Amino acid sequence: EQQRKRKGRDVGIAFPVSLEDLYNGKTVEVPREKDILCPGCNGKGSSKPGVSSVCSDCRGQGARMMMRQMGNMITQQQVACQACSGTGSKIDPKDKCKECDAKRIVSKKLPLKVTIERGMKHNSKIPFMGEGDQHPDIDIPGAIVVVLQQKEHDKFTRANDDLKMKQTITLADALCGFQFTITHLDGRTLVVRNEQGQFIKPGDIKCIIGEGMPIEGKPGKAGDLIIEFNVVFPERLQEGQVEELLKVLPAPTKPAVDLSEAEVHFVDRAPLEEVRKAMDKEDDDEDDVQGGPGGVQCASH
């Protein structure tokens, strides 16, 4: 029966990459130290011909089976080999390999050349079969698996093959059209336009087809660039500006009630935190220890 080959374990290496690396593709060297069979003794522990570091008493296992009698029974028990102190190897000091000191392996710096393909994703795995550590006790070294770890980007987020970003515009931009630029991940400048008469509402999402991430394994194919808009409103308008807006915008909604018989309230323009601070100060001045948190301040008219 053919003896089963002993295989080394696979080892994963987490490698941080930028979104630019995943967009453009890149070849990099990943530093690592690899255990290899000592070239001075070819993994035997001694460069002297005919000398082996494998303990002859335990055949390199580091343990032996011993028979013990317990009453009327004879039992087998595994114990550490006394000849090699459980290491599995034993060699006369004068015969030891000077290069590895009879350890049979040496460590060597052997960086891995990693090719990041365009469109690869976070946690994409790049295997290097048979590139794991060597050892005299294994027949086939395991694999080294490089696992890509995408770093956070300051502008774009990735959603599968799409790119997402947020853009803040003014109310004038939202109503009258706008133009702004985006520096893409490959350095290109994209000009984004919205023509007059096409309004943008807060939270609107627009899409630029084909400007997302490249699709791995499909040259020339790419996802989309998705832009979510935030519209900044002015703090207040002058009376003349309000009158001009009323000429072009639909008339404001008014409740169908008799205002002379209803209570009318105007919300305060002050930010909520300032209102709360003012109300807390009033509570302190009145020594009102039972006072709760303040709400939005209103003025009655």
Side-chain angles (χ1 to χ4, degrees):
E1 185 179 353
Q2 187 175 3
Q3 187 176 4
R4 185 178 179 181
K5 291 185 179 294
R6 298 164 298 178
K7 183 179 181 298
R9 63 189 180 93
D10 297 339
V11 177
I13 299 177
F15 186 67
V17 292
S18 67
L19 192 55
E20 285 85 352
D21 294 337
L22 298 176
Y23 184 91
N24 297 298
K26 189 177 184 180
T27 299
V28 293
E29 282 195 347
V30 178
R32 61 130 186 192
E33 288 195 358
K34 177 181 178 180
D35 288 343
I36 62 172
L37 297 180
C38 174
C41 61
N42 198 28
K44 299 183 184 304
S46 174
S47 55
K48 188 176 180 179
V51 176
S52 172
S53 66
V54 178
C55 176
S56 58
D57 286 36
C58 65
R59 297 181 181 179
Q61 299 299 310
R64 299 178 63 188
M65 300 300 296
M66 290 189 64
M67 309 290 287
R68 287 188 178 182
Q69 185 168 354
M70 298 180 63
N72 295 326
M73 293 188 302
I74 297 177
T75 63
Q76 277 189 332
Q77 184 178 7
Q78 182 173 287
V79 296
C81 176
Q82 294 182 348
C84 64
S85 301
T87 62
S89 61
K90 183 179 69 172
I91 196 167
D92 193 297
K94 64 181 177 59
D95 295 328
K96 284 184 178 182
C97 172
K98 301 296 188 293
E99 194 166 335
C100 67
D101 194 31
K103 293 177 181 177
R104 302 187 290 169
I105 56 173
V106 293
S107 183
K108 190 174 182 180
K109 290 184 178 180
L110 292 171
L112 291 171
K113 190 175 183 180
V114 178
T115 299
I116 302 169
E117 301 290 349
R118 297 188 72 217
M120 280 186 164
K121 297 179 173 65
H122 177 70
N123 281 336
S124 285
K125 296 177 175 61
I126 305 174
F128 293 83
M129 307 307 295
E131 282 293 331
D133 289 338
Q134 299 176 357
H135 194 275
D137 295 338
I138 61 175
D139 301 307
I140 305 172
I144 297 293
V145 182
V146 176
V147 184
L148 302 182
Q149 301 291 293
Q150 182 198 313
K151 295 180 286 188
E152 186 176 344
H153 197 271
D154 59 357
K155 180 186 296 181
F156 301 107
T157 56
R158 183 174 184 174
N160 295 318
D161 295 319
D162 294 332
L163 285 174
K164 292 184 174 181
M165 63 169 287
K166 294 184 178 181
Q167 180 69 27
T168 298
I169 60 175
T170 65
L171 180 58
D173 292 332
L175 297 176
C176 305
F178 58 77
Q179 176 175 297
F180 63 88
T181 61
I182 300 171
T183 301
H184 214 316
L185 295 169
D186 57 357
R188 289 179 298 126
T189 299
L190 307 183
V191 178
V192 182
R193 290 177 177 173
N194 194 50
E195 300 300 333
Q196 292 184 359
Q198 299 178 0
F199 299 157
I200 297 290
K201 299 185 294 297
D204 271 0
I205 293 176
K206 301 296 180 181
C207 178
I208 302 179
I209 303 296
E211 286 296 347
M213 293 294 294
I215 299 177
E216 185 182 1
K218 296 183 179 180
K221 301 289 185 180
D224 303 324
L225 174 58
I226 299 169
I227 305 174
E228 181 180 348
F229 287 92
N230 173 43
V231 180
V232 178
F233 285 72
E235 292 293 329
R236 61 179 301 173
L237 295 174
Q238 301 299 325
E239 185 175 345
Q241 294 173 317
V242 174
E243 293 175 356
E244 291 298 320
L245 283 175
L246 289 174
K247 294 178 182 179
V248 296
L249 295 178
T253 302
K254 293 185 179 180
V257 297
D258 186 353
L259 297 182
S260 63
E261 297 180 359
E263 293 185 8
V264 180
H265 297 271
F266 291 92
V267 294
D268 197 292
R269 292 192 183 91
L272 183 58
E273 288 301 319
E274 293 182 14
V275 173
R276 286 176 173 166
K277 288 179 182 178
M279 295 185 72
D280 289 342
K281 187 176 184 303
E282 289 177 6
D283 290 342
D284 292 339
D285 292 342
E286 295 172 4
D287 294 325
D288 184 4
V289 295
Q290 300 298 324
V296 177
Q297 184 179 6
C298 297
S300 298
H301 291 266

